[in-house]
Amino acid sequence: MRRDVFQAIADPTRRAIISLIALHAMTPNALAEHFDTSRQAVSKHLRILTECQLVKQEVQGREIYYQLELSKMKEIDKWLEQFRKIWEQRFSELDNVLLTLKNKENES
């Protein structure tokens, strides 16, 4: 089953996992140490993140390491870019309004 990426990142625990493995690959046990939850709960979150291809597994000996799938994160960033441009434009417009108000106040 392929899950929706945005539903996956809506969960704060999964976002925290993404932040942790963005720095370096980690095992489920190492990740579980960062949360007040069981290793099984962390594994469930990892399964969801893996199903939507945000993380990938790498077997090293007897351990499974999870690491961030950068190409999938780039897809999310690309989708968000359209909104980032809108926000930047609105902030720029707000800056102009505030500057106009400040200039009028200084003229008085």
Side-chain angles (χ1 to χ4, degrees):
M1 173 183 176
R2 183 154 178 201
R3 295 184 183 262
D4 180 70
V5 122
F6 294 100
Q7 285 180 327
I9 62 174
D11 183 275
T13 301
R14 289 193 282 272
R15 289 193 308 269
I17 289 171
I18 289 169
S19 295
L20 288 167
I21 64 173
L23 302 173
H24 55 75
M26 297 178 78
T27 65
N29 286 334
L31 283 165
E33 293 174 5
H34 295 272
F35 301 97
D36 291 328
T37 186
S38 67
R39 185 201 177 283
Q40 291 78 13
V42 169
S43 290
K44 181 179 177 181
H45 287 298
L46 286 168
R47 188 182 79 244
I48 292 168
L49 291 169
T50 302
E51 287 173 357
C52 59
Q53 302 172 337
L54 282 169
V55 301
K56 60 183 175 183
Q57 301 174 350
E58 184 179 313
V59 178
Q60 294 179 7
R62 294 177 13 190
E63 296 285 348
I64 297 174
Y65 286 82
Y66 288 85
Q67 58 190 18
L68 195 58
E69 184 61 69
L70 294 177
S71 62
K72 195 65 167 182
M73 293 300 291
K74 287 178 184 177
E75 285 180 35
I76 295 169
D77 185 55
K78 184 178 177 181
W79 184 82
L80 287 171
E81 181 62 27
Q82 63 186 323
F83 300 104
R84 192 174 297 120
K85 289 178 182 176
I86 293 169
W87 300 330
E88 288 173 358
Q89 180 183 2
R90 290 187 179 172
F91 282 129
S92 180
E93 290 170 3
L94 179 59
D95 284 342
N96 290 337
V97 167
L98 293 174
L99 186 60
T100 301
L101 290 173
K102 184 178 179 180
N103 287 340
K104 285 183 180 180
E105 186 178 285
N106 288 339
E107 290 174 1
S108 307

